[in-house]
Amino acid sequence: MTKVTWLGHASMAIETNNYRILVDPFINGNPAAAVKEEELNADFILVSHGHGDHVGDTVSIAKRTNALVISNFEIATWLGNQGVRTHPQHIGGGYQHPFGYLKLTQALHGSALPDGSYGGNPAGFLLTTLDGKKLYFACDTGLFGDMRLIGEEGIDLAVLPIGDNFTMGPTDALRAVKLIQPKHVIPIHYNTWDLIAQNVNDWKATVESETAAKVHVLSPGGSLQLE
Ligand code: NI
Ligand code: MN
């Protein structure tokens, strides 16, 4: 069983085969945060890129929980210098972790770290769980045609940004669904601030009328369980 919880903005929690994984845990300073930082537990933390709304509280959560942080080489080095346990990967590279096979995918975005350090290239994550489910976290990105290649792997769940301005907006996120052809979609990275406000129910209706995907509109704290 795999359960995916939206913690608000772009922060996700994955529970799979008794492993607890956080993606881009940004709690302090996140007006949409559904939890308190000290309530979060993790065995692994995935960091997609260097921006503050994604690195977020990674350092303090990793130090408190001793979670292993997986990110690109540059961010892993930056976190390692702060005493965090890390596993570096890079785009196109996959690794069999205890919780599943995790591959970094390309993302069209930036990645400077909060202190101005070079954060390498931004990434998304493609996770194949131990029971064979494929979860694609596009993370912060614009639309790109090679989403079609990711879709060829057979995606059970795609987690896509729809907020516009900093990432894909609703129109391009619909095109992304058409390229990826996932069974399920969770929209994220919207409504955190006015700048990325979107009508998610309109988007769900459009996607479900034009594609075979089922859109799960979660409230921060809400979950989707993949059987
Ligand atoms: Ni970003
Ligand atoms: Mn962001």
Side-chain angles (χ1 to χ4, degrees), residues 99-178:
F99 57 88
Y101 185 79
L102 183 75
K103 187 159 75 174
L104 267 61
T105 57
Q106 77 169 98
L108 296 181
H109 197 64
S111 184
L113 284 152
D115 65 0
S117 298
Y118 176 60
N121 285 310
F125 298 105
L126 182 57
L127 169 62
T128 308
T129 66
L130 297 179
D131 46 4
K133 289 278 189 285
K134 293 248 190 196
L135 284 66
Y136 171 48
F137 298 83
C139 303
D140 283 15
T141 187
L143 178 69
F144 55 92
D146 284 353
M147 286 180 174
R148 185 190 305 279
L149 296 178
I150 294 167
E152 283 174 4
E153 297 211 20
I155 303 299
D156 293 286
L157 169 66
V159 178
L160 303 177
I162 68 159
D164 220 347
N165 194 76
F166 296 116
T167 67
M168 293 189 288
T171 306
D172 279 353
L174 168 64
R175 297 168 74 194
V177 174
K178 291 176 178 176

Side-chain angles (χ1 to χ4, degrees), residues 57-138:
D57 302 292
T58 294
V59 171
S60 58
I61 296 169
K63 285 186 173 174
R64 175 170 54 79
T65 62
N66 202 33
L68 181 72
V69 182
I70 302 163
S71 191
N72 73 26
F73 178 83
E74 292 83 357
I75 294 171
T77 301
W78 185 80
L79 291 168
N81 288 339
Q82 299 177 67
V84 171
R85 292 197 310 126
T86 63
H87 177 109
Q89 291 186 218
H90 235 305
I91 293 167
Y95 185 81
Q96 186 67 49
H97 293 280
F99 57 88
Y101 185 79
L102 183 75
K103 187 159 75 174
L104 267 61
T105 57
Q106 77 169 98
L108 296 181
H109 197 64
S111 184
L113 284 152
D115 65 0
S117 298
Y118 176 60
N121 285 310
F125 298 105
L126 182 57
L127 169 62
T128 308
T129 66
L130 297 179
D131 46 4
K133 289 278 189 285
K134 293 248 190 196
L135 284 66
Y136 171 48
F137 298 83

Side-chain angles (χ1 to χ4, degrees), residues 49 51 53-54 109-110 140 189:
H49 65 288
H51 293 162
D53 59 321
H54 296 261
H109 197 64
D140 283 15
H189 213 281

